[in-house]
Structures are given as C-alpha cells and as structure tokens.
Amino acid sequence: MIDNDAAMTSWHREPTLPFQRMDEETIVVDPRTREVHLLNETAARIWDLLEEPASLDQLCEELAEEYEGATPEALRGEVEGFLKDLGGKGLLVARGRA
C-alpha cells in the first residue's frame, strides 16, 4: 500500500522509454535492461494518463469517470499496484507532492 505522502506524489512515465500501442494493450521497452513489458487495457490507459504528471487520487478519479460502475476507491488497489510495480522498475518517475 502507498502511504499518504506517496499518495500525494506526482507520477509520470519515464519520457525516454519507447512504447507502442497495440489495440487495447501497450508494449513498453526498457533499453537499459532489455525488458519488454506488456500492459493490459487498464494498465495501458494508466500509462497514457501518465504522459502528464498525476497523483494516485487523480488517476483513480479519471479512471472511475471512464469505466462505468467503478469507483475511485475500487480502482485504488490496482492503480497503487501499477505505480509500485512500474515505479520500482524505473519506468515511472515520482516527484514530491502533486
């Protein structure tokens, strides 16, 4: 779980990473590690949103507006997991408070 200070962090995707959108998925390549990451539809949408810096709360609210029947609270765990996973791999950049 991301703590309160981290929840206020502004996240964005690492701008130097090559990626390609393929239908509902996105492929992100990390040339430093030569790893290829396949993002499912929801993860690909979060990746798209992170073209501009956004906080965890902002991401959850945006996704809740786009996905009928979803609430920011219900999406929070998935978005937190995405930020923690890709952030830990160096694919996302975190900056101070949003």
Side-chain angles (χ1 to χ4, degrees):
M1 179 174 219
I2 295 178
D3 62 33
N4 285 340
D5 285 339
M8 296 305 295
T9 298
S10 174
W11 299 84
H12 65 92
R13 63 186 186 213
E14 171 56 57
T16 62
L17 293 176
F19 67 94
Q20 183 171 354
R21 184 87 173 173
M22 311 256 323
D23 296 319
E24 296 175 350
E25 299 174 324
T26 295
I27 296 172
V28 181
V29 179
D30 186 347
R32 301 166 296 191
T33 61
R34 296 184 181 195
E35 291 182 344
V36 176
H37 305 274
L38 179 63
L39 307 180
N40 66 22
E41 180 181 1
T42 303
R45 182 60 186 132
I46 297 169
W47 180 262
D48 289 343
L49 292 171
L50 290 174
E51 181 176 4
E52 297 295 325
S55 70
L56 172 62
D57 289 341
Q58 290 169 324
L59 292 169
C60 292
E61 289 171 17
E62 180 68 30
L63 291 170
E65 289 178 18
E66 294 179 17
Y67 292 99
E68 188 174 323
T71 65
E73 297 78 24
L75 294 165
R76 189 173 189 88
E78 187 171 346
V79 175
E80 282 181 337
F82 176 90
L83 295 174
K84 184 177 179 181
D85 183 37
L86 270 61
K89 293 176 181 175
L91 304 181
L92 302 177
V93 178
R95 293 222 169 98
R97 293 184 170 264

